[in-house]
Amino acid sequence: YMKYAIIEAAGRQFWIEPGRFYDLNRLPVQPGDKIQFKRILLAKDGDSIQVGQPCVDNVSVKATVIRHLKGRKIIVFKRRPKKNTSSKNGHRQPLTRVMINEIHM
């Protein structure tokens, strides 16, 4: 059976499962820290599904911070028509990789 949850973290929503890692927008934590996510929108364990309005109260998600990293580089290219000017910028989003330890119901 599958155990998963949908959480809101770092301004985005993630479908998470225990034992997998996910890249969130940079969080103000240190590598090796244990963190807990409070905003759980949906939790499923076997046949039971809990849907929050908007959050489920009695579910907690525990995770470990693995490391900080940067995402893939994206090129921001802007060109102004008829002005013969353009600008090319690179951007790498700062990310935090977290390992989901358990979804506790």
Side-chain angles (χ1 to χ4, degrees), residues 1-5 43-50 103 105:
Y1 73 99
M2 276 184 69
K3 185 176 202 178
Y4 64 84
K44 180 176 190 294
D45 186 7
D47 294 332
S48 67
I49 294 183
Q50 295 173 307
I103 300 172
M105 299 194 179

Side-chain angles (χ1 to χ4, degrees), residues 14-79:
F14 294 91
W15 169 309
I16 60 165
E17 297 173 9
R20 301 184 66 166
F21 63 81
Y22 298 89
D23 291 340
L24 317 179
N25 286 336
R26 178 70 53 94
L27 299 171
V29 290
Q30 299 300 317
D33 285 359
K34 301 264 193 273
I35 56 175
Q36 186 167 335
F37 294 109
K38 298 281 193 290
R39 290 185 62 81
I40 289 96
L41 307 175
L42 180 143
K44 180 176 190 294
D45 186 7
D47 294 332
S48 67
I49 294 183
Q50 295 173 307
V51 180
Q53 301 177 341
C55 291
V56 184
D57 295 331
N58 54 355
V59 177
S60 68
V61 172
K62 293 183 173 59
T64 309
V65 179
I66 301 175
R67 66 191 184 109
H68 294 301
L69 64 151
K70 287 191 199 169
R72 292 182 52 189
K73 176 170 279 201
I74 61 164
I75 305 299
V76 183
F77 187 80
K78 296 180 179 170
R79 189 163 184 292

